[in-house]
Amino acid sequence: KQEVTQIPAALSVPEGENLVLNCSFTDSAIYNLQWFRQDPGKGLTSLLLIQSSQREQTSGRLNASLDKSSGRSTLYIAASQPGDSATYLCAVTPRRNSNYQLIWGAGTKLIIKP
Amino acid sequence: DGGITQSPKYLFRKEGQNVTLSCEQNLNHDAMYWYRQDPGQGLRLIYYSQIVNDFQKGDIAEGYSVSREKKESFPLTVTSAQKNPTAFYLCASNRPLLGGAGRMNTEAFFGQGTRLTVV
């Protein structure tokens, strides 16, 4: 059974720092991995999607990497800003499920201090 | 703009009452999903539908029901049989993607959610 873990559960850093959020999964048989952002009381905004054949994806100050063999992904945020404060969720689409459902981590709550 | 619209944003349910959460999409996606989010936990799949007039139970379907009469709409009913319905409910649809070696996979898009509270 696929399980997804995100560490740490919460992170507080000063503005301007570069930071890394971690996501691990137990079964490497995935179609892709997605990173989402969730603001309090809001829905999910897709940040990056990495296909299983890819190693990384970049969007602005965000860079996500995928190491399928070790079951790990990282989300790198450069030059953090207070507006980056949110909960970041990662999710995988397992190959073993024919319904393409997502399996989720519990998220990392990020606070950027001005 | 294409997207997924969930309504209402907030919903209050009395004991023994059924309530229905609306989800509408204009992305022309075949597959739609309902997830439940509880504090400190990952999202969990309630029901999904990969085509009109067909739907399947997810991991936590007990106490919930759905219908899929139109491609654009996938409403979720929280019945009185769901004993702990207070949660944040998220509707999603999947866009087909062509992955490596020509394999199909999908990208998920989400609505803004409905917060359901039992009063």
Side-chain angles (χ1 to χ4, degrees):
Chain A
K1 180 183 175 184
Q2 176 74 266
E3 293 183 356
V4 179
T5 304
Q6 291 186 250
I7 295 173
L11 182 63
S12 179
V13 300
E15 180 179 6
E17 282 199 6
N18 302 326
L19 58 97
V20 173
L21 305 182
N22 297 296
C23 174
S24 61
F25 48 96
T26 55
D27 187 345
S28 61
I30 62 171
Y31 287 116
N32 59 50
L33 182 144
Q34 287 186 250
W35 283 94
F36 294 87
R37 170 183 172 138
Q38 185 174 33
D39 293 290
K42 304 288 187 182
L44 305 180
T45 300
S46 180
L47 297 174
L48 290 164
L49 179 147
I50 311 177
Q51 302 263 21
S52 63
S53 58
Q54 297 173 327
R55 299 284 289 184
E56 65 177 351
Q57 284 287 329
T58 298
S59 176
R61 293 182 294 108
L62 305 180
N63 175 278
S65 68
L66 176 64
D67 184 343
K68 204 172 57 169
S69 61
S70 68
R72 293 181 182 177
S73 175
T74 61
L75 179 66
Y76 175 83
I77 302 177
S80 58
Q81 303 170 358
D84 295 329
S85 297
T87 297
Y88 291 80
L89 299 162
C90 73
V92 299
T93 306
R95 287 190 187 278
R96 300 189 199 283
N97 293 357
S98 61
N99 61 8
Y100 297 100
Q101 74 173 92
L102 292 167
I103 306 298
W104 297 82
T108 294
K109 184 175 182 179
L110 177 63
I111 297 173
I112 307 298
K113 297 175 288 186
Chain B
D1 285 336
I4 299 174
T5 302
Q6 289 188 242
S7 62
K9 187 173 181 180
Y10 300 98
L11 187 56
F12 298 91
R13 192 194 94 167
K14 295 180 180 178
E15 295 285 346
Q17 198 177 43
N18 292 355
V19 292
T20 297
L21 285 60
S22 171
C23 177
E24 302 280 332
Q25 55 104 353
N26 60 4
L27 300 168
N28 200 33
H29 293 166
D30 287 312
M32 298 185 72
Y33 303 77
W34 275 105
Y35 292 91
R36 170 178 170 144
Q37 186 178 34
D38 294 282
Q41 299 186 36
L43 278 70
R44 293 179 291 169
L45 181 65
I46 305 172
Y47 265 98
Y48 66 96
S49 169
Q50 293 183 298
I51 198 168
V52 175
N53 291 323
D54 185 63
F55 50 83
Q56 303 295 329
K57 293 181 179 180
D59 301 319
I60 55 165
E62 185 175 353
Y64 300 98
S65 66
V66 294
S67 62
R68 187 81 187 279
E69 297 176 0
K70 299 186 301 182
K71 188 175 186 177
E72 301 79 16
S73 179
F74 191 39
L76 173 74
T77 297
V78 184
T79 75
S80 58
Q82 171 49 242
K83 298 307 179 188
N84 184 24
T86 294
F88 192 52
Y89 291 85
L90 287 154
C91 178
S93 68
N94 276 10
R95 177 172 75 96
L97 289 176
L98 192 59
R103 290 177 178 160
M104 289 299 301
N105 65 112
T106 61
E107 179 179 16
F109 295 85
F110 283 83
Q112 289 301 298
T114 293
R115 182 161 301 279
L116 174 62
T117 304
V118 174
V119 297

